[in-house]
Amino acid sequence: MPSHKKNFLLFFIILLLLLPFFVFTSHADRYEHCTLYFRFKNSALLGAEERKIFVPADSSFETELIKTLIEGPSSVLPYFSPLFPDNTQVINTWGNKDVLFVTFNDKLLDRYSDEIVRFDEQYKSHEGNLRRRLAMASLACTVTENTSFSYVQVLIQGDVGANTSMRLSESYFLQDSANLVPPIARDESYIMQAKNSVEFFIKALDRGDFSEATDWLAPSALIPDFNALKLPVVAEYTLSHGTVSFDGAQAIVLFDAALQNTDGIVKEVSSLPIRLKNINGIWKIDYKSIANILEESI
């Protein structure tokens, strides 16, 4: 047999051997890294959790991503809370250009388990509305961070027999409106930033809640007993938006303030850098930055 025919036959055999690899690799079970957004404590902010999720061969990454979001945060992160009512399920997901369509079962419209007792008008217009807006914000932030889609259109499963679905309406947010909710865009005003941690710390000090204040500090053997310190009063302050390091592990927020010490003397602090570390998705303040603030107030 001529050499060129032998080479062609060898190439053909190799191609047959590799064909299953090319056909089935993209549909095999796999694990994917992702970032999920959950409510931080009882605040109006979302914190990020890094997770590795399992994507079975018969499902899509988008579907498994949202399923994991609905299930809630890891048990090792007690400061995060889930945002979807019990028994909420994803029926399916599909994309059209830059919009990801997500169909939920009608349990998405149910009340949360702790809303059975309290559901007055004040609750509906404040906490009730906020919880639902945070749920949709977490959905949009999670999808846009982990996929190429820019918007999320939420659908509710309708008549199962007729295989119909309907768009989410504004009544979901406990509003007296049947207007349909358009595709939801990412809203970064809900995402917790480094400056938010500094604000929480300052407010905790102002309330005299030193336990809460300590929670906003990165672990360190140098953290003092705040009860033993003559802490200044922060009369007024402003914070920069902050800058994050290239690896996302650290940040700096600039602090401008008028600090009044126990003798009533006010001292201006200008562009003092407060350094923070990203610990499990939450920005924690480096104690040395707090020491600098105390030194500036003397």
Side-chain angles (χ1 to χ4, degrees), residues 31-38 48-54 61 64-65 67-77 80 146:
Y31 285 91
E32 297 279 356
H33 287 279
C34 67
T35 301
L36 305 168
Y37 285 93
F38 300 104
E49 178 189 347
E50 299 295 323
R51 189 93 67 85
K52 181 184 286 188
I53 64 173
F54 176 68
F61 171 69
E64 297 307 314
L65 176 72
K67 282 183 179 180
T68 307
L69 179 68
I70 292 173
E71 290 170 359
S74 301
S75 59
V76 296
L77 302 176
F80 285 157
N146 297 281

Side-chain angles (χ1 to χ4, degrees), residues 87-101:
N87 302 314
T88 300
Q89 295 179 352
V90 180
I91 305 302
N92 55 47
T93 63
W94 73 96
N96 183 14
K97 297 181 180 179
D98 60 352
V99 179
L100 179 68
F101 290 80

Side-chain angles (χ1 to χ4, degrees), residues 149-170:
F149 295 104
S150 303
Y151 309 96
V152 180
Q153 179 65 70
V154 176
L155 305 174
I156 305 299
Q157 186 181 43
D159 187 331
V160 176
N163 194 28
T164 59
S165 300
M166 61 182 181
R167 284 170 57 186
L168 189 70
S169 73
E170 291 181 351

Side-chain angles (χ1 to χ4, degrees), residues 191-266:
I191 298 177
M192 192 169 182
Q193 308 292 341
K195 67 175 295 186
N196 298 126
S197 295
V198 179
E199 288 175 336
F200 282 127
F201 174 78
I202 294 173
K203 290 177 181 178
L205 285 184
D206 186 57
R207 296 192 307 269
D209 189 346
F210 299 139
S211 176
E212 169 81 8
T214 301
D215 285 342
W216 290 106
L217 300 178
S220 171
L222 301 177
I223 297 176
D225 178 4
F226 284 114
N227 289 289
L229 298 180
K230 295 182 179 180
L231 296 172
V233 175
V234 182
E236 57 184 42
Y237 70 93
T238 59
L239 298 170
S240 70
H241 183 73
T243 54
V244 179
S245 63
F246 181 77
D247 61 1
Q250 301 180 68
I252 291 180
V253 174
L254 296 181
F255 179 70
D256 294 274
L259 303 179
Q260 180 177 323
N261 65 18
T262 54
D263 295 325
I265 300 174
V266 176

Side-chain angles (χ1 to χ4, degrees), residues 6 26 34 39 52 63 70 72 81 103 109 114 116 121 133 135 154 184 188 190 203 206 232 238 264 272 275 284:
K6 290 182 179 179
S26 61
C34 67
R39 187 178 189 179
K52 181 184 286 188
T63 297
I70 292 173
S81 59
T103 303
L109 307 179
D114 59 352
I116 303 301
E121 290 303 317
R133 293 199 178 279
V154 176
I184 303 170
E188 294 190 334
Y190 285 109
K203 290 177 181 178
D206 186 57
T238 59
L272 185 71
R275 296 175 175 83
K284 301 276 188 172

Side-chain angles (χ1 to χ4, degrees), residues 78-185:
Y79 42 79
F80 285 157
S81 59
L83 283 164
F84 293 85
D86 294 343
N87 302 314
T88 300
Q89 295 179 352
V90 180
I91 305 302
N92 55 47
T93 63
W94 73 96
N96 183 14
K97 297 181 180 179
D98 60 352
V99 179
L100 179 68
F101 290 80
V102 182
T103 303
F104 292 93
N105 66 350
D106 59 5
K107 295 299 181 181
L108 176 68
L109 307 179
D110 285 356
R111 294 184 184 181
Y112 294 90
S113 58
D114 59 352
E115 290 181 337
I116 303 301
V117 177
R118 184 183 180 189
F119 208 68
D120 54 33
E121 290 303 317
Q122 182 178 1
Y123 175 87
K124 288 167 62 177
S125 61
H126 292 86
E127 175 65 11
N129 177 273
L130 174 62
R131 291 175 82 170
R132 289 158 175 82
R133 293 199 178 279
L134 283 172
M136 293 300 103
S138 74
L139 176 64
C141 288
T142 297
V143 168
T144 55
E145 184 134 341
N146 297 281
T147 74
S148 60
F149 295 104
S150 303
Y151 309 96
V152 180
Q153 179 65 70
V154 176
L155 305 174
I156 305 299
Q157 186 181 43
D159 187 331
V160 176
N163 194 28
T164 59
S165 300
M166 61 182 181
R167 284 170 57 186
L168 189 70
S169 73
E170 291 181 351
S171 61
Y172 164 76
F173 299 108
L174 308 182
Q175 296 179 335
D176 187 17
S177 171
N179 292 335
L180 299 179
V181 176
I184 303 170

Side-chain angles (χ1 to χ4, degrees), residues 6-22:
K6 290 182 179 179
N7 291 337
F8 176 79
L9 181 60
L10 179 61
F11 172 77
F12 184 74
I13 293 173
I14 294 174
L15 182 62
L16 288 177
L17 292 173
L18 292 178
L19 185 59
F21 174 81
F22 289 113

